[in-house]
Amino acid sequence: MDSVEIDFRRGPMYLVHPAMTAKISSSGLWRNPRFRTGVALGVIVAIWALFFLPVLPRISAEILGHTHHGMENSFFPYAVFKSRAFAADEIPIWNPYGFCGFPFHATMQGAVLYPPHLLLAALLPVAVNLNLSVMLHLLFSGLFTYYLCRELGLSRAGGIAGALVFMLGSHQVLRMYPGH
């Protein structure tokens, strides 16, 4: 039977099997900073996915947020108008359907030339486009907050904590309710 040694450097009574230590130390995988950063980013992505897990079955059927608020009443019609214009190979400069018409290209809510919307609008239906836009904005806010925390000198655990607090904090999540 193989002997089991006690590694007191890692804390009291931390049991380490010799074959296990040889495998970890020989591969050096955990010593690689890119691997550890990948694990940290994987934790952030996994928690983001768990947060949106209840919504995923309905992603193409309904719009995220509360009904009769900004997403459904403002952003959705704008997205439909924009996608129809792009499907007809036109840039939606003027929207004739609101009031007596208004310059659609100049509105912030239209986001006519916003790169993520352009990419998603070309590939997906309108409801999925809007939902994925909200979801991906939350994900990227968490990932880039992690990098900001690391740049400011926090540890990887501190970067994960900062990313999760910003990504799933009330400022971000409550903006989804009215559909911003």
Side-chain angles (χ1 to χ4, degrees), residues 68-140:
H68 310 299
H69 277 286
M71 188 69 96
E72 187 176 290
N73 293 334
S74 180
F75 291 104
F76 186 72
Y78 287 175
V80 170
F81 175 73
K82 181 172 52 175
S83 68
R84 287 180 181 166
F86 284 139
D89 291 332
E90 298 174 358
I91 296 176
I93 295 173
W94 185 263
N95 185 349
Y97 302 113
F99 306 112
C100 292
F102 62 93
F104 186 73
H105 192 274
T107 62
M108 288 183 66
Q109 287 82 10
V112 175
L113 299 177
Y114 184 52
H117 288 192
L118 285 175
L119 179 66
L120 292 173
L123 303 173
L124 301 168
V126 175
V128 178
N129 175 2
L130 288 174
N131 289 334
L132 274 181
S133 175
V134 169
M135 294 166 66
L136 290 176
H137 275 86
L138 269 182
L139 175 64
F140 289 134

Side-chain angles (χ1 to χ4, degrees), residues 18-43:
M20 194 172 171
T21 57
K23 189 174 188 181
I24 292 173
S25 63
S26 67
S27 68
L29 192 59
W30 191 249
R31 291 183 185 166
N32 186 347
R34 288 186 180 173
F35 176 76
R36 290 184 286 179
T37 300
V39 168
L41 295 176
V43 167

Side-chain angles (χ1 to χ4, degrees), residues 11-62:
M13 300 304 295
Y14 192 87
L15 300 177
V16 179
H17 192 271
M20 194 172 171
T21 57
K23 189 174 188 181
I24 292 173
S25 63
S26 67
S27 68
L29 192 59
W30 191 249
R31 291 183 185 166
N32 186 347
R34 288 186 180 173
F35 176 76
R36 290 184 286 179
T37 300
V39 168
L41 295 176
V43 167
I44 294 168
V45 170
I47 292 174
W48 168 82
L50 285 174
F51 179 76
F52 282 110
L53 190 63
V55 178
L56 289 179
R58 303 184 317 262
I59 195 168
S60 62
E62 57 189 65

